[in-house]
Amino acid sequence: MDDTPLDDVDRRILHQLQLNARQTDTEIAKKVDVTSTTVRNRLDKLEDGGVIRGYHPEINYEQAGYPLHVMFVCTVNPNELDSLAEQILSVRGVVTTRDLLGGERNVHVEIVAGSVREIEEIRNELSGLGMTINSSEIISETRVQSWDHFYPRPDPDADQDDDTDDASVTDQG
């Protein structure tokens, strides 16, 4: 995004999207107290600027027929992380990768599979890319919440104790 920081309208729109990304521009506009045209223009700006990178459903993989949900904790040469990211994501069964700053175990790869054999095939393919798989953890449940720091956001110059009135008067002369 350009150097223009997010304002309160942008933050309120982002908060609404986190609560329900399937809301229409009109529904968001009512909650944010702006026009639907403003919401559409702001969304376009946030998408073009890379703040919003996509709209993705939260899937219960077990209900979708993929009962095995695994997190591989891996080591990759840090100089190769960027070039490997697309290759990792192209492996059938990989749903997410996370690059970590520092440390030996610097990549988490989340996969889903229908059988142990499929997990083994995915593991072998990832190893073939030059990754070292340090451990694998079975994920039993994932919970996601909206980050509530987008809305509301107090003005940094606002008085933190604005609920009290000490009735003080400054005499200027």
Side-chain angles (χ1 to χ4, degrees), residues 47-60:
E47 291 167 1
D48 292 345
V51 174
I52 298 174
R53 297 189 299 185
Y55 301 85
H56 308 281
E58 186 177 329
I59 297 172
N60 180 326

Side-chain angles (χ1 to χ4, degrees), residues 50-118:
V51 174
I52 298 174
R53 297 189 299 185
Y55 301 85
H56 308 281
E58 186 177 329
I59 297 172
N60 180 326
Y61 291 109
E62 187 171 359
Q63 291 292 321
Y66 297 92
L68 300 172
H69 194 178
V70 178
M71 176 72 68
F72 287 127
V73 179
C74 308
T75 300
V76 173
N77 179 332
N79 297 324
E80 298 175 10
L81 271 173
D82 288 339
S83 62
L84 277 179
E86 289 303 315
Q87 292 177 43
I88 295 168
L89 287 170
S90 70
V91 173
R92 180 175 165 77
V94 172
V95 293
T96 308
T97 67
R98 292 180 179 89
D99 300 351
L100 287 78
L101 293 175
E104 179 182 331
R105 298 171 177 214
N106 57 354
V107 177
H108 288 177
V109 179
E110 183 179 344
I111 67 139
V112 294
S115 67
V116 172
R117 179 174 173 81
E118 287 177 30

